[in-house]
Amino acid sequence: MLKRLSLLALAASFHSAANPALVGVDWIEDPVANPLCGGYYLSPQLPDARGEEIEARALETEYDGSDRIALKGDAQLWNNQIALEADEISLYRVSGDGDAIGNVAFRDPQFLVRGKTASLNLYSGRVELRDSEIVAHELHLYGQAEDVVRNGAGIIRVRNVDYSFCAPTDDAWQMGAGDIKLDFNSGRGYAKNVTLKIKKVPFVWLPIIGFPVDERRLTGFLWPKFSLESSDLYGSDYSLEAPFYWNIAPQTDALIVPTRIAHRGNMLQLQQRYLFANESQSTVNLGWLDDDAISGGKRRAITATWATETSSPWIANAYGAWADDADYETDIGGLAIPDDEQFPSLKVSTSYRQPSWSITSSLKSYTLADASTGQAARPYRELPRIVAQGRIDDSQRDQNWYAQFVNFERDNTLLSGTSADTGSRVNLRYTLAQPFRSSWGYLTPAIGADGIAYALSRDSGLDDAPSVAVPRASVDAGLFVERRFERLTHRIEPRLKYLRVAHVDQDAQPNFDTGSVGFSFTQLFSDRRFSGGDRIGDTEQVTAGLSNRWSDNDSGSERYRFDLGQTFYLRDRSVGLSANSVDTTARSPLVGEARINLNERWSLGSEATLDPRFGVDSGASSVKYRRDQHHLATLRIRWNDQAATSHEGSVLWGLNDRWRVAAGYGYNEETRHSERFAFGFEYESCCWRTAVVQSYDRPSSTGAGTHKLSLQFQLKGLGQIGRRAINNLRDNIEDYEPRPIRY
């Protein structure tokens, strides 16, 4: 790394001036730019160099004619990787040994070390500084040590050191160590005889600790998580997690988390991750509580995922989950949380994607969290589901196609009638549209057809191979009426869509996965009345909509938007989920959506479905304030059948650059009880930060509520105790984001 001394460069720089950037510990006092720490580290640029060849300069030089070279007065040595300066530097050409005396400073891309004296070897790259100050600019680390040794092979040894991630003048906390070894080859660091000092007073002592010195993973204990909880039924208790990270190999690792759950007992959580050679990844999570002190039995869950990387045309993934009971997530939680409380999934899928088409094949089953669930309430297994879809490239017309095959299975030994139906289904869909577009509007006539065919096993006496083919036609038209004013542009977009879907009797068809679709402004203009693939909703209708928008001329941002729409049925519909569930009203509810940005901070939002006969059918209204990510508030009310059913609110407010307070709540008007609330604060200094949150959660109107007091504390650069405080704030404060670490 350090090759040889260039005498030519030395001779040419006898009268050069010293580099003024190599001064002090590179701390710039600037409380305006950085009020949190009162300043910042600024690493100066190394002198220009011609590669690894050592260059030198000084006010004076002495050469004994054979071996020894002395640089005196602002002496400097540097190449493209390191720089050394001192009042005086002596070098021996043959051995490469040297000494530096007075105001010694050594730099490499990661560190600055200052000392009173130093010894070095040009050929091995070894440098030893005594009575030293250490600065790592990017890590925001400052320390003082008895001596620092850099051996030239990527290893640094530090003896009798006190260091912290605070500003150089701040003694809020320090870590003291008798000996530190930083190995940049392995990415590991070790410290012996370690003492944590708070205001220079010893607080915690450890014989040895290990830590990473770069982004590579390191086996060891992580900081614990702690919270106090108080239940209306079970009193007060605490929860504790003590995670241990195991870096098993470069391609796999594990997290072992001994856990104590308040009121319930001790459990073990495990997580194992594996990165395969083809860049696919797998994760397995396990939770095991051997004896729940409340329910009196075992509580266990497991989840497993596998997924390929997503940049390839071929992608695949798999997921599996199992739990002892349907209340595992609510009662226990943790790493292993099934995707469905009652029916944890088992599914595998693979897809192949091209720019104009794709095909996906999947298998989906489930496990039972509650074995007492009746057969009729259990979902169907899809063994398999195959979906292909795409578009046909045509510069004049839009052509889209869709095909699906699904085989539905479930245990029907105790079922009868249509509930016992099993079998396969094929769905086909094709649309041909001829769009006409201009700057003032558009007109899009379209025709298409949908088909469904079954091969069933059934004992209801109905057709075991029903099939339907249903044509449809539509015309969608819209206008763009725009007027520009001095500050705002007003745009009105009236839209009218005619849709006709023929009626074909579908009473003989089963219902495997189909449900009704709720009303929204976007849904009003959809061709489909049902989700799933067992029904094709017949209709002849006209949908009218009006979008009214105002946008800012300078920023282009939308200031006001009002959407209003309604569907008018020209004939009764005949197809429903069942023979008795057909909607025959003459028109849909009036759907309205609005968003008003009063200014850059305040906004109003509302969405509602209005039934002319009964008033407000359902909807929600909200008021939001956002000055920045540290000053925000939300109030929202939800409506149903002309009455408020619930309301919720949250606020996050930064008092200054160090303090933030937060509060949030949710109240159910129907049951007349608080479902949740949280209140807490965050404090951050240059050296440490903390969060304390008091929360209450009562998910069921008949169940007991639980109070929690959660604490998070972090010494910057070391780690943090607790994450529950931040999680509680994220659950209760809309748009909440924790602050990144700042220095």
Side-chain angles (χ1 to χ4, degrees), residues 214-234:
D214 53 28
E215 295 182 353
R216 283 175 284 186
R217 305 185 302 267
L218 179 65
T219 296
F221 281 99
L222 305 180
W223 291 88
K225 302 176 183 179
F226 177 81
S227 66
L228 294 173
E229 301 184 15
S230 176
S231 168
D232 294 343
L233 293 179
Y234 307 110

mmCIF file of all heavy atoms in Angstrom, residues 214-234:
data_model
loop_
_atom_site.group_PDB
_atom_site.id
_atom_site.type_symbol
_atom_site.label_atom_id
_atom_site.label_comp_id
_atom_site.label_asym_id
_atom_site.label_seq_id
_atom_site.Cartn_x
_atom_site.Cartn_y
_atom_site.Cartn_z
ATOM 1 N N ASP A 214 -18.585 -2.576 9.665
ATOM 2 C CA ASP A 214 -19.140 -2.199 8.372
ATOM 3 C C ASP A 214 -20.510 -2.849 8.263
ATOM 4 O O ASP A 214 -21.109 -3.224 9.282
ATOM 5 C CB ASP A 214 -18.204 -2.580 7.217
ATOM 6 C CG ASP A 214 -17.802 -4.054 7.254
ATOM 7 O OD1 ASP A 214 -18.585 -4.876 7.780
ATOM 8 O OD2 ASP A 214 -16.710 -4.381 6.755
ATOM 9 N N GLU A 215 -21.035 -3.026 7.068
ATOM 10 C CA GLU A 215 -22.392 -3.540 6.894
ATOM 11 C C GLU A 215 -22.484 -5.052 7.006
ATOM 12 O O GLU A 215 -23.583 -5.605 6.944
ATOM 13 C CB GLU A 215 -22.941 -3.090 5.534
ATOM 14 C CG GLU A 215 -23.114 -1.582 5.429
ATOM 15 C CD GLU A 215 -23.703 -1.162 4.100
ATOM 16 O OE1 GLU A 215 -23.848 -2.044 3.222
ATOM 17 O OE2 GLU A 215 -24.019 0.029 3.933
ATOM 18 N N ARG A 216 -21.373 -5.741 7.149
ATOM 19 C CA ARG A 216 -21.423 -7.194 7.297
ATOM 20 C C ARG A 216 -22.018 -7.578 8.652
ATOM 21 O O ARG A 216 -21.831 -6.885 9.653
ATOM 22 C CB ARG A 216 -20.018 -7.780 7.134
ATOM 23 C CG ARG A 216 -19.571 -7.852 5.688
ATOM 24 C CD ARG A 216 -18.136 -8.319 5.559
ATOM 25 N NE ARG A 216 -17.195 -7.264 5.914
ATOM 26 C CZ ARG A 216 -15.875 -7.374 5.787
ATOM 27 N NH1 ARG A 216 -15.353 -8.507 5.334
ATOM 28 N NH2 ARG A 216 -15.085 -6.386 6.124
ATOM 29 N N ARG A 217 -22.733 -8.714 8.670
ATOM 30 C CA ARG A 217 -23.448 -9.137 9.856
ATOM 31 C C ARG A 217 -22.502 -9.782 10.862
ATOM 32 O O ARG A 217 -21.488 -10.371 10.498
ATOM 33 C CB ARG A 217 -24.557 -10.129 9.481
ATOM 34 C CG ARG A 217 -25.510 -9.594 8.431
ATOM 35 C CD ARG A 217 -26.648 -10.560 8.172
ATOM 36 N NE ARG A 217 -26.183 -11.858 7.748
ATOM 37 C CZ ARG A 217 -26.037 -12.221 6.493
ATOM 38 N NH1 ARG A 217 -26.304 -11.363 5.531
ATOM 39 N NH2 ARG A 217 -25.627 -13.426 6.171
ATOM 40 N N LEU A 218 -22.868 -9.688 12.136
ATOM 41 C CA LEU A 218 -22.029 -10.201 13.213
ATOM 42 C C LEU A 218 -22.899 -10.898 14.248
ATOM 43 O O LEU A 218 -23.921 -10.360 14.680
ATOM 44 C CB LEU A 218 -21.246 -9.060 13.869
ATOM 45 C CG LEU A 218 -20.333 -9.434 15.040
ATOM 46 C CD1 LEU A 218 -19.206 -10.333 14.548
ATOM 47 C CD2 LEU A 218 -19.767 -8.179 15.687
ATOM 48 N N THR A 219 -22.510 -12.102 14.643
ATOM 49 C CA THR A 219 -23.226 -12.848 15.673
ATOM 50 C C THR A 219 -23.141 -12.124 17.015
ATOM 51 O O THR A 219 -22.083 -11.621 17.395
ATOM 52 C CB THR A 219 -22.638 -14.258 15.803
ATOM 53 O OG1 THR A 219 -22.850 -14.970 14.582
ATOM 54 C CG2 THR A 219 -23.292 -15.015 16.945
ATOM 55 N N GLY A 220 -24.262 -12.085 17.731
ATOM 56 C CA GLY A 220 -24.255 -11.468 19.056
ATOM 57 C C GLY A 220 -25.647 -11.082 19.500
ATOM 58 O O GLY A 220 -26.619 -11.180 18.749
ATOM 59 N N PHE A 221 -25.742 -10.654 20.757
ATOM 60 C CA PHE A 221 -27.025 -10.208 21.305
ATOM 61 C C PHE A 221 -27.374 -8.825 20.759
ATOM 62 O O PHE A 221 -26.511 -7.960 20.627
ATOM 63 C CB PHE A 221 -26.971 -10.151 22.831
ATOM 64 C CG PHE A 221 -27.126 -11.494 23.487
ATOM 65 C CD1 PHE A 221 -26.018 -12.205 23.920
ATOM 66 C CD2 PHE A 221 -28.391 -12.047 23.657
ATOM 67 C CE1 PHE A 221 -26.161 -13.442 24.517
ATOM 68 C CE2 PHE A 221 -28.542 -13.286 24.257
ATOM 69 C CZ PHE A 221 -27.424 -13.984 24.685
ATOM 70 N N LEU A 222 -28.660 -8.645 20.435
ATOM 71 C CA LEU A 222 -29.179 -7.341 20.071
ATOM 72 C C LEU A 222 -29.786 -6.692 21.316
ATOM 73 O O LEU A 222 -29.981 -7.345 22.348
ATOM 74 C CB LEU A 222 -30.237 -7.478 18.968
ATOM 75 C CG LEU A 222 -29.789 -8.225 17.708
ATOM 76 C CD1 LEU A 222 -30.933 -8.287 16.706
ATOM 77 C CD2 LEU A 222 -28.559 -7.588 17.089
ATOM 78 N N TRP A 223 -30.099 -5.426 21.206
ATOM 79 C CA TRP A 223 -30.643 -4.732 22.375
ATOM 80 C C TRP A 223 -32.050 -5.254 22.688
ATOM 81 O O TRP A 223 -32.848 -5.505 21.799
ATOM 82 C CB TRP A 223 -30.675 -3.232 22.131
ATOM 83 C CG TRP A 223 -29.296 -2.659 22.089
ATOM 84 C CD1 TRP A 223 -28.486 -2.552 21.009
ATOM 85 C CD2 TRP A 223 -28.560 -2.147 23.196
ATOM 86 N NE1 TRP A 223 -27.285 -2.000 21.360
ATOM 87 C CE2 TRP A 223 -27.299 -1.737 22.697
ATOM 88 C CE3 TRP A 223 -28.825 -1.984 24.556
ATOM 89 C CZ2 TRP A 223 -26.320 -1.178 23.514
ATOM 90 C CZ3 TRP A 223 -27.854 -1.420 25.373
ATOM 91 C CH2 TRP A 223 -26.622 -1.033 24.858
ATOM 92 N N PRO A 224 -32.371 -5.405 23.963
ATOM 93 C CA PRO A 224 -33.663 -5.994 24.353
ATOM 94 C C PRO A 224 -34.827 -5.021 24.148
ATOM 95 O O PRO A 224 -34.639 -3.825 23.950
ATOM 96 C CB PRO A 224 -33.463 -6.298 25.846
ATOM 97 C CG PRO A 224 -32.451 -5.300 26.300
ATOM 98 C CD PRO A 224 -31.515 -5.092 25.127
ATOM 99 N N LYS A 225 -36.041 -5.586 24.194
ATOM 100 C CA LYS A 225 -37.274 -4.809 24.110
ATOM 101 C C LYS A 225 -38.051 -5.013 25.409
ATOM 102 O O LYS A 225 -38.189 -6.139 25.886
ATOM 103 C CB LYS A 225 -38.120 -5.262 22.924
ATOM 104 C CG LYS A 225 -37.409 -5.167 21.584
ATOM 105 C CD LYS A 225 -38.266 -5.713 20.463
ATOM 106 C CE LYS A 225 -37.527 -5.690 19.138
ATOM 107 N NZ LYS A 225 -38.348 -6.237 18.038
ATOM 108 N N PHE A 226 -38.569 -3.918 25.961
ATOM 109 C CA PHE A 226 -39.195 -3.982 27.273
ATOM 110 C C PHE A 226 -40.430 -3.103 27.283
ATOM 111 O O PHE A 226 -40.443 -2.015 26.706
ATOM 112 C CB PHE A 226 -38.210 -3.497 28.345
ATOM 113 C CG PHE A 226 -38.795 -3.463 29.734
ATOM 114 C CD1 PHE A 226 -38.872 -4.616 30.489
ATOM 115 C CD2 PHE A 226 -39.271 -2.280 30.267
ATOM 116 C CE1 PHE A 226 -39.404 -4.591 31.766
ATOM 117 C CE2 PHE A 226 -39.808 -2.240 31.535
ATOM 118 C CZ PHE A 226 -39.878 -3.400 32.290
ATOM 119 N N SER A 227 -41.499 -3.577 27.933
ATOM 120 C CA SER A 227 -42.691 -2.746 28.122
ATOM 121 C C SER A 227 -43.437 -3.212 29.361
ATOM 122 O O SER A 227 -43.365 -4.389 29.758
ATOM 123 C CB SER A 227 -43.617 -2.819 26.901
ATOM 124 O OG SER A 227 -44.162 -4.117 26.757
ATOM 125 N N LEU A 228 -44.129 -2.268 29.996
ATOM 126 C CA LEU A 228 -45.013 -2.564 31.120
ATOM 127 C C LEU A 228 -46.447 -2.580 30.610
ATOM 128 O O LEU A 228 -46.835 -1.737 29.800
ATOM 129 C CB LEU A 228 -44.865 -1.507 32.215
ATOM 130 C CG LEU A 228 -43.511 -1.441 32.928
ATOM 131 C CD1 LEU A 228 -43.468 -0.239 33.863
ATOM 132 C CD2 LEU A 228 -43.252 -2.728 33.711
ATOM 133 N N GLU A 229 -47.245 -3.556 31.077
ATOM 134 C CA GLU A 229 -48.625 -3.683 30.632
ATOM 135 C C GLU A 229 -49.551 -3.835 31.830
ATOM 136 O O GLU A 229 -49.196 -4.457 32.831
ATOM 137 C CB GLU A 229 -48.785 -4.882 29.692
ATOM 138 C CG GLU A 229 -47.922 -4.799 28.446
ATOM 139 C CD GLU A 229 -48.160 -5.945 27.490
ATOM 140 O OE1 GLU A 229 -49.189 -6.633 27.658
ATOM 141 O OE2 GLU A 229 -47.330 -6.149 26.591
ATOM 142 N N SER A 230 -50.736 -3.261 31.707
ATOM 143 C CA SER A 230 -51.746 -3.360 32.750
ATOM 144 C C SER A 230 -53.064 -3.751 32.111
ATOM 145 O O SER A 230 -53.559 -3.059 31.216
ATOM 146 C CB SER A 230 -51.884 -2.028 33.488
ATOM 147 O OG SER A 230 -52.921 -2.095 34.450
ATOM 148 N N SER A 231 -53.637 -4.864 32.534
ATOM 149 C CA SER A 231 -54.887 -5.363 31.987
ATOM 150 C C SER A 231 -56.021 -5.120 32.969
ATOM 151 O O SER A 231 -55.831 -5.177 34.193
ATOM 152 C CB SER A 231 -54.760 -6.863 31.688
ATOM 153 O OG SER A 231 -56.018 -7.435 31.412
ATOM 154 N N ASP A 232 -57.229 -4.849 32.415
ATOM 155 C CA ASP A 232 -58.401 -4.661 33.271
ATOM 156 C C ASP A 232 -58.715 -5.916 34.077
ATOM 157 O O ASP A 232 -59.288 -5.839 35.166
ATOM 158 C CB ASP A 232 -59.613 -4.290 32.422
ATOM 159 C CG ASP A 232 -59.462 -2.925 31.760
ATOM 160 O OD1 ASP A 232 -58.588 -2.154 32.204
ATOM 161 O OD2 ASP A 232 -60.208 -2.651 30.801
ATOM 162 N N LEU A 233 -58.338 -7.089 33.552
ATOM 163 C CA LEU A 233 -58.642 -8.346 34.233
ATOM 164 C C LEU A 233 -57.471 -8.917 35.021
ATOM 165 O O LEU A 233 -57.665 -9.524 36.075
ATOM 166 C CB LEU A 233 -59.110 -9.397 33.217
ATOM 167 C CG LEU A 233 -60.452 -9.146 32.518
ATOM 168 C CD1 LEU A 233 -60.737 -10.276 31.542
ATOM 169 C CD2 LEU A 233 -61.571 -9.042 33.548
ATOM 170 N N TYR A 234 -56.237 -8.729 34.516
ATOM 171 C CA TYR A 234 -55.103 -9.477 35.070
ATOM 172 C C TYR A 234 -54.084 -8.617 35.794
ATOM 173 O O TYR A 234 -53.055 -9.131 36.248
ATOM 174 C CB TYR A 234 -54.410 -10.252 33.948
ATOM 175 C CG TYR A 234 -55.357 -11.107 33.161
ATOM 176 C CD1 TYR A 234 -55.682 -10.787 31.845
ATOM 177 C CD2 TYR A 234 -55.967 -12.228 33.739
ATOM 178 C CE1 TYR A 234 -56.567 -11.564 31.116
ATOM 179 C CE2 TYR A 234 -56.860 -13.005 33.013
ATOM 180 C CZ TYR A 234 -57.151 -12.664 31.705
ATOM 181 O OH TYR A 234 -58.027 -13.432 30.990
#
